[in-house]
Amino acid sequence: MMIDLKQEMKERCAYIEAALEKAVPQQKEFPPVIFEAMRYSLLAGGKRLRPMMVLAACEAVGGKKEDALPFACALEMIHTYSLIHDDLPAMDNDDYRRGRLTSHKVFGEDMAILAGDGLLHHAMETMADACLKNPTPQTAGAMKAIAHGAGVFGMLTGQVVDVYFEGKPLDKETLDFIHLHKTAAMIRGALESGAIIGGADRETAEQFALAGEKIGVAFQILDDILDVTSTMEELGKPIHSDEKNQKTTYVTLYGIEKSREIAAKLSEEAMDIWKKQGDRCEFLAALTEYLTTRTF
């Protein structure tokens, strides 16, 4: 049965948006500005792909999305914190994100840093609360998968290497390291944590994690291509930022067409994993195809 991916994503996104609204409530007590800054970036819209993957992976292995929701929300908080910090003048120095001014342009650099910190810490507290309410190996394992993907063995290290080599030529091995850590580690964490919270066995969870790695690298390659071929109106953020920051990408190493071929191969490998899992991964397969072939 073919699914209406656009409608399915819209409904799942609305479910996540409602949960995020409650996850970081408005505060009137002093100092309200930190909650305002956190909510400004967290509730700025977007496709909510990473939390969507958490929920979809959980359901695909027979779990309940309600059990995975706190972890999905936490992952989106972590993703948003990383975007806030990425946009800072000391990093990528971008003025727009998701179609509107970045956090530091609205609240100042100091408050943007603190808003990112606030989202990261609140994400950990949100997951810890879920673990306390349901203290099982599954909840602890899901929290570990997400924290691992975001931390010094995942996204953070990818960002460090990305910053360290800015303006310097990269070889393919170093570029792959950055993509695997900065982008793919969080997508791996999303699918792995969802599978774990849903009760998957270790082998199945590892397959979901592997698919996440392949999707993540393909997604980043497509992002590099779109930075060259798309428009700010389509992406909701500045284009040609890689060129501005003198970053080596798959496009600079291989050109657009070869980069598309590499992304397509990774996508096929991820799709093979979903096919082996059967019909229960129909949504994840459709989402994978969309993410790795998108034009904006």
Side-chain angles (χ1 to χ4, degrees):
M1 182 179 70
M2 295 291 292
I3 65 172
D4 184 341
L5 181 63
K6 185 176 180 180
Q7 182 61 29
E8 188 76 18
M9 288 179 66
K10 182 179 178 181
E11 292 174 3
R12 290 173 183 254
C13 187
Y15 178 72
I16 293 165
E17 291 283 353
L20 290 172
E21 173 69 38
K22 295 177 181 177
V24 183
Q26 291 178 322
Q27 297 286 336
K28 294 183 180 179
E29 294 81 6
F30 183 80
V33 64
I34 186 62
F35 294 96
E36 183 183 350
M38 289 165 65
R39 286 170 59 86
Y40 174 83
S41 295
L42 183 65
L43 304 178
K47 296 182 177 67
R48 309 303 189 189
L49 299 172
R50 290 159 187 81
M52 200 175 291
M53 289 179 185
V54 177
L55 301 182
C58 177
E59 291 180 301
V61 298
K64 298 178 181 178
K65 65 180 179 182
E66 293 80 9
D67 293 337
L69 188 57
F71 300 92
C73 288
L75 185 60
E76 186 68 3
M77 291 180 209
I78 295 170
H79 176 57
T80 303
Y81 119 76
S82 74
L83 298 182
I84 293 173
H85 285 190
D86 264 354
D87 291 334
L88 289 167
M91 299 281 278
D92 289 344
N93 193 24
D94 283 328
D95 293 345
Y96 288 90
R97 171 74 66 175
R98 290 173 173 168
R100 62 177 181 171
L101 288 170
T102 47
S103 181
H104 68 274
K105 285 293 180 179
V106 177
F107 298 96
E109 290 181 44
D110 49 4
M111 201 54 61
I113 292 170
L114 293 170
D117 294 344
L119 286 168
L120 174 60
H121 296 310
H122 194 56
M124 295 304 167
E125 185 174 356
T126 298
M127 290 191 289
D129 280 343
C131 290
L132 287 171
K133 291 175 182 176
N134 184 22
T136 66
Q138 286 74 34
T139 54
M143 182 174 181
K144 180 180 178 181
I146 290 173
H148 183 85
V152 292
F153 298 105
M155 177 181 66
L156 183 63
T157 291
Q159 289 176 316
V160 169
V161 177
D162 190 32
V163 169
Y164 182 81
F165 281 101
E166 190 167 295
K168 302 173 185 176
L170 295 182
D171 55 28
K172 181 182 182 298
E173 288 70 26
T174 305
L175 184 60
D176 283 342
F177 180 93
I178 292 172
H179 286 354
L180 278 169
H181 290 76
K182 185 176 179 181
T183 304
M186 287 281 282
I187 294 178
R188 175 192 171 103
L191 291 168
E192 183 179 16
S193 64
I196 291 172
I197 202 69
D201 58 44
R202 187 65 253 170
E203 183 180 351
T204 300
E206 287 175 355
Q207 284 298 300
F208 275 59
L210 180 60
E213 283 189 3
K214 295 180 182 300
I215 295 167
V217 176
F219 181 87
Q220 185 58 58
I221 293 172
L222 262 291
D223 205 53
D224 293 344
I225 292 171
L226 293 175
D227 187 65
V228 176
T229 63
S230 191
T231 66
M232 180 175 168
E233 289 73 24
E234 289 175 325
L235 291 182
K237 61 181 180 178
I239 59 171
H240 302 301
S241 59
D242 292 332
E243 181 181 359
K244 178 188 73 174
N245 294 319
Q246 297 181 295
K247 287 186 177 181
T248 301
T249 68
Y250 265 79
V251 174
T252 58
L253 284 179
Y254 298 109
I256 291 175
E257 291 310 312
K258 179 64 175 177
S259 296
R260 287 194 191 279
E261 291 176 11
I262 296 171
K265 184 175 185 299
L266 288 166
S267 176
E268 288 173 9
E269 292 171 356
M271 293 292 282
D272 285 341
I273 293 174
W274 299 139
K275 288 175 184 176
K276 290 176 182 177
Q277 295 296 323
D279 292 342
R280 63 183 184 170
C281 290
E282 183 183 25
F283 173 74
L284 285 170
L287 185 63
T288 296
E289 184 176 11
Y290 160 71
L291 291 179
T292 54
T293 60
R294 72 196 195 284
T295 57
F296 62 89

